[in-house]
Amino acid sequence: MNLNKAELIGNLAADPVARTLKSGGEVVSFKIATTWQAQTGPVAKESRTEYHAIAAYGKLGQVVVKYLKKGDKVYLDGRLETQRWQDKDGGWHSRTEIVASNLIMLGGAKKEKNNDEVIIEEIDPDESGEG
């Protein structure tokens, strides 16, 4: 049995960016920052921040662009995917990102007019329209 799943709770490190793919679909890219305590010795701890590249497709991507901005806290889960490409000089590059399946806004989302509840949307991965 194999498992490819990532779960994060963190804050957007920058505003999401939408791009149109060659296939005509749309992908929304953003980074999430997570901070954790690393044990650097028997007693000493050091705070470290990691930046995770995220891709959201279809309806989930639309929700991200519409409701999220830099600093907003989210929970998300998805799978790890590595893209590989060759540049014009023949050099190879790779980038690992998390392809989001579900996302829950934990704070900082836009609110409905005259309503104190934060909008929370969870998208079924089968309806993501991922291409």
Side-chain angles (χ1 to χ4, degrees):
M1 181 191 320
N2 296 307
L3 177 65
N4 181 351
K5 183 171 182 157
E7 292 182 286
L8 298 173
I9 294 176
N11 297 79
L12 270 70
D15 290 338
V17 176
R19 298 183 285 116
T20 301
L21 302 170
K22 290 178 185 177
S23 66
E26 188 175 83
V27 61
V28 175
S29 300
F30 57 104
K31 288 189 183 269
I32 291 189
T34 57
T35 302
W36 53 283
Q37 296 290 318
Q39 193 77 36
T40 57
V43 179
K45 289 186 179 181
E46 178 184 320
S47 181
R48 294 189 182 176
T49 300
E50 297 282 337
Y51 295 90
H52 311 276
I54 314 295
Y57 294 87
K59 291 179 183 178
L60 183 57
Q62 293 169 7
V63 169
V64 168
V65 166
K66 185 174 181 179
Y67 294 107
L68 296 178
K69 65 184 181 320
K70 180 179 178 178
D72 288 345
K73 184 175 284 295
V74 297
Y75 160 86
L76 69 81
D77 69 49
R79 72 179 186 283
L80 293 171
E81 190 172 286
T82 301
Q83 307 292 329
R84 292 179 178 87
W85 68 95
Q86 193 171 19
D87 64 25
K88 64 182 179 181
D89 299 325
W92 284 95
H93 304 272
S94 66
R95 168 187 161 120
T96 301
E97 62 187 5
I98 298 169
V99 177
S101 298
N102 296 295
L103 182 137
I104 300 173
M105 296 173 223
L106 300 176
K110 291 182 181 178
K111 296 180 181 179
E112 293 289 342
K113 189 176 181 180
N114 298 324
N115 185 350
D116 290 334
E117 279 187 38
V118 174
I119 299 167
I120 297 176
E121 296 200 30
E122 190 167 332
I123 304 299
D124 182 344
D126 295 332
E127 297 179 13
S128 69
E130 184 179 324

